[in-house]
Amino acid sequence: MEIHKKPDRFTTFSISDWAAERKYFGRFYLSQGFNKNKGFTNDCGPASLAVILNIFLFRDNLGKSSLEKNSIISSSGFHFWDRLPQWIPHVGGATAPWGIVKAFNRWSRQYSLKWHAKRKSNARRVHILENLLMGKPVTVLKIWKNGGAHWINLVRYSSEKERLYFLDPNPFLQYLPEEKRLQSQTWEEFHEDWSRSNWWSKLLGIRNELITYSKLD
């Protein structure tokens, strides 16, 4: 299999195909970065957005340069209700679902991508799988037990293994080779974090967040 020609289905790959698939997706990984205290920044949203844009830019072969996290942060036209100001303690830099959608569609128009992002709250398993099995990645928000949240991009699903494969902007993954950057979880493991809610998510109406991407006619 040529590395730039990807099948729509994931369940019939040979070992060599799977190795190429892992390396293909690993090349798009971007780190959310470390903060000055050597913890993670809250830039998982912009990093994940840059990743998804770069995947579509590559697929559509538009000859555009890859986007970086900092370009997303500085040039997406975020308002404070889209992405919290960096100076706010602990949560500064966190990006809302509507901020991700707005920024993607802005970049898509600018780059003539002809892809459109749409937010779906209270999404279900079927909404994720119908996109992944059609070869379309999706962006989802995990909510941690400690109250934090984390954006990732789901890119593949294996029905045989009941596993989801995703690109996570965890900065420690930058030290791994490309073919080892694609992460995976069982559906049950993923769903526990994806379906979790707490006081702030209830206040903002955030639950089972899913961002899908469709090709414009």
Side-chain angles (χ1 to χ4, degrees):
M1 182 183 76
E2 293 182 16
I3 199 166
H4 61 281
K5 293 182 180 178
K6 304 174 297 305
D8 290 338
R9 304 287 174 171
F10 174 69
T11 56
T12 59
F13 284 166
S14 69
I15 292 174
S16 60
D17 288 337
W18 180 221
E21 189 81 353
R22 292 186 73 95
K23 186 161 187 170
Y24 168 80
F25 281 115
R27 67 183 292 175
F28 294 108
Y29 163 84
L30 287 175
S31 168
Q32 67 194 79
F34 293 104
N35 59 32
K36 62 182 180 181
N37 298 318
K38 298 184 179 180
F40 293 4
T41 70
N42 291 327
D43 295 337
C44 55
S48 292
L49 177 55
V51 166
I52 208 76
L53 283 162
N54 288 339
I55 289 174
F56 288 133
L57 284 169
F58 183 83
R59 283 186 178 184
D60 289 4
N61 195 27
L62 296 180
K64 303 283 187 180
S65 298
S66 296
L67 289 161
E68 297 292 336
K69 177 195 74 173
N70 290 339
S71 298
I72 299 295
I73 292 172
S74 63
S75 303
S76 292
F78 287 127
H79 295 294
F80 71 86
W81 55 83
D82 299 321
R83 181 174 182 270
L84 295 178
Q86 201 69 51
W87 53 264
I88 299 178
H90 307 300
V91 296
T95 310
W98 48 88
I100 297 285
V101 169
K102 173 184 170 183
F104 178 92
N105 290 333
R106 177 180 178 137
W107 284 99
S108 184
R109 289 191 300 270
Q110 181 176 331
Y111 276 26
S112 300
L113 262 178
K114 297 183 180 180
W115 284 88
H116 181 76
K118 184 177 180 180
R119 175 195 178 194
K120 185 171 184 61
S121 294
N122 297 301
R124 302 192 306 275
R125 173 187 170 114
V126 66
H127 299 130
I128 288 178
L129 298 191
E130 68 182 2
N131 280 276
L132 295 183
L133 293 177
M134 290 175 64
K136 295 190 292 187
V138 296
T139 306
V140 295
L141 183 68
K142 292 183 172 184
I143 296 180
W144 305 133
K145 291 180 180 179
N146 66 5
H150 189 57
W151 288 105
I152 63 170
N153 292 308
L154 304 179
V155 295
R156 284 288 183 263
Y157 171 70
S158 169
S159 58
E160 288 182 9
K161 298 180 180 180
E162 279 281 303
R163 294 191 78 83
L164 291 161
Y165 294 81
F166 58 93
L167 288 169
D168 188 323
N170 181 325
F172 284 116
L173 297 179
Q174 66 187 306
Y175 303 115
L176 297 178
E178 286 183 349
E179 63 270 18
K180 294 186 177 181
R181 289 175 177 174
L182 189 65
Q183 304 296 292
S184 72
Q185 283 184 309
T186 64
W187 174 265
E188 289 74 17
E189 291 169 336
F190 164 75
H191 188 262
E192 183 178 2
D193 294 326
W194 183 52
S195 62
R196 185 177 288 117
S197 63
N198 54 28
W199 68 268
W200 62 261
S201 64
K202 293 176 181 176
L203 179 67
L204 296 172
I206 291 175
R207 180 69 185 269
N208 285 53
E209 292 294 327
L210 173 67
I211 297 172
T212 62
Y213 306 93
S214 58
K215 193 78 169 176
L216 297 173
D217 294 332

